[in-house]
Amino acid sequence: MKKVVVAGAGGFIGGHLTKKLKEMGYQVRAVDIKPLTRWYQITEGVENLVLDLKSKENCYQALNGFEEVFNLAADMGGMGFIETHKADCMLSVLINTHLIMAARDLGVQRFFYASSACVYNGSKQTDPDNPGLKEADAYPALAEDGYGWEKLFSERMCRHFTEDFGLITRVARFHNVYGPFGTYDGGREKAPAAICRKVIDGKLFDKKEIVIWGDGHQTRSFMYIDDCIKGVLDIMYSNIQEPINLGSSEMVSINQLVDYVEEIANFKLSRKYDLDAPKGVRGRNSDNTLIKQYLNWEPSIPLKDGLKKTYDWIKEQMVENKGKDSKKVVFNEF
Ligand code: NAD
């Protein structure tokens, strides 16, 4: 039975990955800084540890006796969070630094690091008609301020730990992941969840207007969580020694994303564009040439299908909470 640690297991992707690894018959240790009551998913039969992985001692405790590590722990959120918490985002470097040192010293056999499309050079993302970012487009480096630089630095740390210490590392650059059991309110949510919430809120509370960040013409691609989990596992157990895109290549504008959600809801709102809100780069898409070459696969769950499942889950949560204040903004307090 393989013994694996999931760091950031109380989070969105970590929660889904923990569940999958357990289903695969692995012995899983799940670690997160949040109290258990705030984990998105708790999987039965998994050892859960609440630890701050910025601390070196905690990282040694977390990995002790285990063979493989998936590092998904980071202080992060959507554009609204990363544009206003650059220093907090950079402090996640302590998590990866201490985890990878512990992995080296404790004889861990494989180490996965969750990087991001935010490592890509901003000057290659100024056109909404983005042809797709190739892995080489991360250099010369001009990453997203704060969050993206931390990811790029941690990617390189993985590379040098492989070169200098022989630790097997795998790095995937996630492009916007979405799905159920993630955040949809409170300031850390990303566009798909935020738009689902706003449309559901409109429907539940009979509102007429939706506020969209930016002019709605900015483009992105969005990967459904099931594709993400498959990709993480396939990359982890592959021979891919370089950082690789893990994202959908189905690019849409934010306006199209709103169209899709309104279609699912069967409800239309009038659109108000907040041009001063955080909006990130102008156009971003994933070039999947490399992943197709290596794995003969790319994320392909259609956005409309994944959005329907995400919408239904968020609606269920919001209906349960109806009557409570749906607009309360609370940042996670760690
Ligand atoms: P998430 O915020 O839901 O999960 C991250 C988890 O890390 C949280 O539960 C948080 O409590 C935990 N964490 C933060 N600081 C910690 C600490 N000091 N010690 C222990 N745990 C700590 O985010 P997610 O969407 O599941 O993302 C997982 C990973 O994937 C992150 O590294 C993120 O940067 C990366 N990523 C995600 C996306 C996306 O679209 N979701 C895109 C690109 C990259």
Side-chain angles (χ1 to χ4, degrees):
M1 193 195 274
K2 224 174 242 181
K3 296 169 82 175
V4 300
V5 174
V6 179
F12 164 49
I13 302 171
H16 285 276
L17 182 64
T18 300
K19 183 164 173 264
K20 179 71 186 176
L21 291 166
K22 182 67 192 156
E23 282 166 10
M24 287 163 62
Y26 289 12
Q27 181 178 336
V28 188
R29 177 180 282 168
V31 190
D32 203 287
I33 192 173
K34 292 188 294 201
L36 281 172
T37 49
R38 288 185 31 225
W39 292 28
Y40 295 122
Q41 299 190 69
I42 303 264
T43 301
E44 215 176 296
V46 163
E47 176 191 2
N48 298 315
L49 297 181
V50 175
L51 292 172
D52 180 354
L53 294 172
K54 290 199 290 308
S55 139
K56 191 172 164 189
E57 297 74 57
N58 287 348
C59 287
Y60 281 77
Q61 183 188 334
L63 303 198
N64 194 19
F66 276 64
E67 296 158 346
E68 294 179 351
V69 177
F70 292 87
N71 178 16
L72 298 139
D75 195 359
M76 64 89 68
M79 267 303 145
F81 181 81
I82 65 177
E83 282 199 2
T84 52
H85 293 74
K86 291 176 188 160
D88 285 335
C89 289
M90 294 218 81
L91 283 173
S92 294
V93 78
L94 294 173
I95 304 175
N96 199 59
T97 303
H98 291 143
L99 267 181
I100 203 166
M101 285 169 71
R104 175 197 60 188
D105 297 344
L106 297 171
V108 160
Q109 289 158 18
R110 250 168 219 268
F111 186 96
F112 177 91
Y113 177 62
S115 185
S116 163
C118 287
V119 299
Y120 285 114
N121 186 313
S123 69
K124 296 180 178 168
Q125 304 172 77
T126 54
D127 185 350
D129 235 346
N130 193 309
L133 292 157
K134 290 187 190 305
E135 285 74 2
D137 290 332
Y139 297 98
L142 186 57
E144 177 81 38
D145 223 356
Y147 178 72
W149 280 102
E150 189 280 317
K151 290 289 183 195
L152 198 60
F153 179 89
S154 291
E155 279 191 359
R156 293 192 76 92
M157 191 150 28
C158 290
R159 169 176 154 182
H160 297 310
F161 267 63
T162 300
E163 290 166 355
D164 293 0
F165 308 124
L167 177 67
I168 296 176
T169 60
R170 297 287 176 259
V171 175
R173 292 178 181 157
F174 296 168
H175 290 244
N176 290 302
V177 191
Y178 71 99
F181 297 100
T183 184
Y184 59 90
D185 204 353
R188 287 180 188 255
E189 65 280 10
K190 298 184 154 212
I195 289 166
C196 285
R197 185 201 72 227
K198 289 177 188 182
V199 172
I200 297 164
D201 198 48
K203 215 175 161 175
L204 287 179
F205 296 98
D206 201 22
K207 294 188 180 156
K208 304 276 173 272
E209 191 178 83
I210 181 168
V211 177
I212 294 168
W213 288 6
D215 62 6
H217 295 298
Q218 66 272 39
T219 53
R220 293 292 183 278
S221 70
F222 300 97
M223 169 171 56
Y224 189 61
I225 184 68
D226 292 1
D227 271 340
C228 176
I229 298 303
K230 175 174 166 44
V232 167
L233 292 170
D234 288 357
I235 290 167
M236 176 67 148
Y237 299 114
S238 73
N239 288 321
I240 306 171
Q241 290 176 17
E242 55 194 314
I244 187 161
N245 279 335
L246 180 56
S248 162
S249 54
E250 182 189 350
M251 189 172 73
V252 292
S253 71
I254 297 301
N255 274 329
Q256 274 172 288
L257 185 65
V258 179
D259 289 344
Y260 287 178
V261 176
E262 286 183 337
E263 217 174 275
I264 291 166
N266 195 19
F267 184 73
K268 278 219 162 287
L269 290 150
S270 80
R271 299 180 188 183
K272 185 179 167 194
Y273 295 97
D274 181 356
L275 302 181
D276 297 325
K279 30 195 178 290
V281 294
R282 193 70 183 140
R284 175 177 288 164
N285 194 10
S286 179
D287 180 298
N288 287 346
T289 311
L290 201 61
I291 195 166
K292 282 193 278 187
Q293 252 168 36
Y294 275 120
L295 300 178
N296 200 20
W297 173 85
E298 66 176 315
S300 57
I301 296 172
L303 179 56
K304 280 187 179 175
D305 296 358
L307 268 181
K308 168 89 178 89
K309 293 183 184 165
T310 310
Y311 177 93
D312 287 346
W313 180 79
I314 295 176
K315 188 171 161 207
E316 213 178 282
Q317 309 306 304
M318 289 177 68
V319 168
E320 265 175 36
N321 291 328
K322 200 175 170 181
K324 297 179 196 159
D325 182 1
S326 65
K327 276 174 271 21
K328 190 174 52 167
V329 172
V330 229
F331 283 106
N332 297 345
E333 61 271 7
F334 56 83

